[in-house]
Amino acid sequence: MTQTSAAAPAWTTRRATGCPFDPPPARSGLLGREPISRVTLWNGGTAWLVARHADQVALLRDERVSADNRRPSYPSLSAASEATRAHNRAFITMDEPEHNEQRRKFTGDFTIKRMEALRPRIQEIIDELLDAMEESGPPADLVTSFALPLPSLVICELLGVPYEDHAFFQRASAYLVDTRSTVEDALTASTELVEYLGDLVERKVSAPGDDLLSRLATGYLATGLSTREECANEARLLLVAGHETTANMIALGTCALLQHPEQLAAVRDGDPRLVAGAVEELLRYLTITHMGRRRVALADIEIGGTTIRAGDAVICAGDLANRDPEVFEDPDELRVDRQARRHLAFGSGPHQCLGQNLARVELQLAYPALLRRFPGLRLDRPLTEIPFRTDMAVYGVHELPVTW
Amino acid sequence: MRVSVETDKCCGAGQCVLVAPEVFDQRDEDGVVIVLDEAPPAEVHASVTEAAQLCPAAAIALS
Ligand code: HEM
Ligand code: SF4
């Protein structure tokens, strides 16, 4: 079972007032002071909090570190995420060799070549959304008019999920990523989503289309290589991961650029090469996956002079790694022309984001298109009144009122 | 410089292809890395070194 310790400070995602883009002050001092420290979790358990970039990369690549959330000391995010972990039994919580066997069912669908081929279609979706936004505004909520529908439409087309059902699955995923959800609400949302996707994959066995879930249906479900439950859990992972994350990068990234007008102008007027670099920098600077990568040590592991014992819970705080001065000069500055490729916003090790090259293409097209369409884009409310997603598994903004 | 890859470890993240497309590609069916040039010329050594460093699975070895 998890150990408790009165001395360890509580894990928190609370940021300082007026600094919505910087890691919580409770953590940001650790890099220089205490690169490996203890934190207390919501359930009274404790975990090692790993701050440095180099230590995190070493741990996340280490086969003696497990991502399996069924282990008793696994540092789960919340009561809700612990309750729904059976549906989480997809490759994101599996260890080698099972993890890569399952992940490889999908890696062919996310190659650089395939993602590059999606560019024209993604640009088309962007242009349509911006047309609609221009017609109905100003003002507008950037989240509902652009940031959320863009990745939702894209992942729906790729998976073969009917976009008409977006109200249902967006609401269900919102419960899943909210650490304040009741166990009951999270379980209902998770079960509904898995039932819905299970039915969908089953229907695709007899009526396949040209999409990822149809390939899963015909290649794995119909052949008996995977069960309905496995397919549904995998589809749930792809659907939730595919829109929550990118949506928040679009909205939070825009919000950050609006606070840094020179950087914004560089992105708006930049060539594709500069924009690609700017996307890496925004991923680094914002680290929307602010809950850290959660793991359990399977053996005693010595790291930075500290021994993590077998069975100990570990949190690799990506937001701190991405502000590590050993890797990034003046790490607290947003500089869109820097070399930020070593950021850990997509994690590291074998679980590094499967959809990262889809996210890259979406973001590389979304920011300049938005900024070029609305050169006068600005917040329609003071920054201090923007609702930030402090308690969500993925950081960002709940809404972003803008005008132009 | 000699480039070798452990395809078993590769998780198809494509970082190597992004950084050094002259030297790395991915198999269409499962995204696993392919080495296009095992002895790449000097002008791409820097990007190949970066690819090996970025590879999340530490699947690229240089000698
Ligand atoms: C900006 C957008 C995104 C960010 C910041 C992001 C971040 C991450 C991170 C940090 C992980 C590692 C989890 C861990 O190590 O525990 C991850 C894994 C994953 N992501 Fe993303 N992601 C993004 C977009 C996407 C998209 C568009 C998809 C599309 C399907 C996706 C699918 C996945 C999947 C399936 C995994 C699990 C991979 C595995 O365990 O092997 N992500 N993502
Ligand atoms: S970067 Fe590494 S894991 Fe990713 S495709 Fe290349 S070799 Fe494979």
Side-chain angles (χ1 to χ4, degrees):
Chain A
M1 271 313 291
T2 42
Q3 315 155 246
T4 48
S5 149
W11 165 266
T12 176
T13 49
R14 225 25 69 211
R15 315 219 170 194
T17 324
C19 305
F21 310 121
D22 293 333
R27 276 211 287 292
S28 50
L30 292 174
L31 262 170
R33 202 175 63 230
E34 227 184 328
I36 299 191
S37 59
R38 302 288 279 170
V39 282
T40 306
L41 305 172
W42 63 274
N43 58 3
T46 54
W48 291 105
L49 182 65
V50 183
R52 293 180 58 223
H53 185 282
D55 293 342
Q56 292 188 32
V57 171
L59 281 169
L60 291 171
R61 283 175 172 180
D62 196 320
E63 288 199 358
R64 299 166 301 167
V65 171
S66 166
D68 189 342
N69 62 357
R70 297 171 307 176
R71 293 183 192 278
S73 54
Y74 182 86
S76 60
L77 291 187
S78 62
S81 75
E82 199 161 275
T84 57
R85 67 183 160 182
H87 295 149
N88 265 322
R89 184 84 193 127
F91 51 95
I92 193 163
T93 55
M94 289 177 187
D95 295 332
E96 304 313 330
E98 195 187 9
H99 162 263
N100 215 15
E101 275 164 31
Q102 300 303 318
R103 176 171 162 128
R104 279 195 187 177
K105 291 169 31 190
F106 306 100
T107 38
D109 282 286
F110 290 93
T111 59
I112 305 271
K113 234 176 280 163
R114 281 214 178 211
M115 297 303 102
E116 286 301 318
L118 292 177
R119 266 183 203 271
R121 177 62 189 134
I122 295 176
Q123 186 67 57
E124 210 169 82
I125 295 175
I126 288 174
D127 293 341
E128 283 168 17
L129 289 170
L130 293 177
D131 287 347
M133 189 171 142
E134 197 172 8
E135 271 165 37
S136 62
D141 170 20
L142 192 77
V143 174
T144 45
S145 54
F146 185 60
L148 187 56
L150 167 58
S152 290
L153 279 158
V154 171
I155 197 71
C156 279
E157 279 194 21
L158 208 131
L159 297 182
V161 171
Y163 184 69
E164 304 85 83
D165 299 335
H166 73 276
F168 158 68
F169 64 73
Q170 284 171 352
R171 187 171 30 82
S173 4
Y175 277 117
L176 297 181
V177 299
D178 190 339
T179 57
R180 299 162 308 180
S181 293
T182 63
V183 166
E184 201 183 2
D185 284 346
L187 265 177
T188 308
S190 194
T191 309
E192 280 175 7
L193 206 49
V194 162
E195 280 305 309
Y196 167 80
L197 291 165
D199 289 347
L200 184 64
V201 177
E202 253 169 18
R203 283 204 303 278
K204 285 177 188 284
V205 170
S206 48
D210 181 18
D211 54 60
L212 188 152
L213 293 186
S214 293
R215 286 187 284 281
L216 187 64
T218 52
Y220 293 90
L221 185 59
T223 56
L225 287 173
S226 302
T227 62
R228 171 188 153 114
E229 187 192 349
E230 286 165 342
C231 293
N233 290 358
E234 285 159 351
R236 169 189 180 277
L237 168 63
L238 295 169
L239 183 63
V240 176
H243 73 272
E244 282 284 347
T245 46
T246 312
N248 281 299
M249 266 311 292
I250 296 173
L252 190 68
T254 304
C255 181
L257 287 172
L258 289 171
Q259 307 306 310
H260 296 84
E262 279 169 32
Q263 306 295 313
L264 181 148
V267 174
R268 186 191 55 217
D269 307 330
D271 60 21
R273 212 187 139 82
L274 181 136
V275 171
V279 165
E280 303 305 316
E281 170 64 352
L282 285 163
L283 285 161
R284 177 195 76 83
Y285 182 70
L286 299 170
T287 321
I288 56 167
T289 47
H290 64 153
M291 296 288 176
R293 315 276 43 85
R294 308 271 172 136
R295 300 292 191 266
V296 176
L298 298 182
D300 290 359
I301 300 171
E302 153 116 35
I303 198 111
T306 302
T307 304
I308 295 176
R309 298 273 171 213
D312 284 355
V314 177
I315 302 178
C316 290
D319 53 355
L320 298 186
N322 285 345
R323 301 291 182 104
D324 188 339
E326 302 252 334
V327 183
F328 306 103
E329 203 184 293
D330 298 327
D332 294 327
E333 273 173 40
L334 175 68
R335 274 197 226 144
V336 298
D337 63 350
R338 79 158 84 221
Q339 285 293 332
R341 277 206 283 236
R342 288 176 67 196
H343 69 72
L344 300 186
F346 292 124
S348 185
H351 291 278
Q352 194 183 62
C353 183
L354 173 71
Q356 58 184 289
N357 296 309
L358 175 59
R360 285 191 170 99
V361 170
E362 292 180 295
L363 297 173
Q364 287 169 9
L365 296 174
Y367 296 126
L370 173 71
L371 299 174
R372 283 169 200 164
R373 179 71 70 101
F374 305 111
L377 193 75
R378 58 190 183 278
L379 290 187
D380 200 19
R381 214 185 273 176
L383 184 68
T384 47
E385 287 172 30
I386 301 294
F388 290 94
R389 295 170 42 111
T390 308
D391 297 304
M392 304 287 144
V394 179
Y395 190 59
V397 288
H398 287 289
E399 51 175 323
L400 194 70
V402 291
T403 190
W404 54 88
Chain B
M1 176 187 273
R2 302 285 306 178
V3 182
S4 60
V5 291
E6 272 181 84
T7 48
D8 283 355
K9 278 189 175 178
C10 172
C11 62
Q15 297 268 21
C16 54
V17 186
L18 277 185
V19 179
E22 309 84 355
V23 178
F24 301 100
D25 198 357
Q26 287 171 289
R27 293 202 299 237
D28 285 333
E29 63 277 21
D30 59 7
V32 169
V33 61
I34 306 169
V35 180
L36 301 173
D37 187 351
E38 285 175 8
E43 57 269 26
V44 296
H45 285 187
S47 52
V48 174
T49 306
E50 192 187 355
Q53 184 187 43
L54 284 177
C55 172
I60 302 171
L62 307 177
S63 55

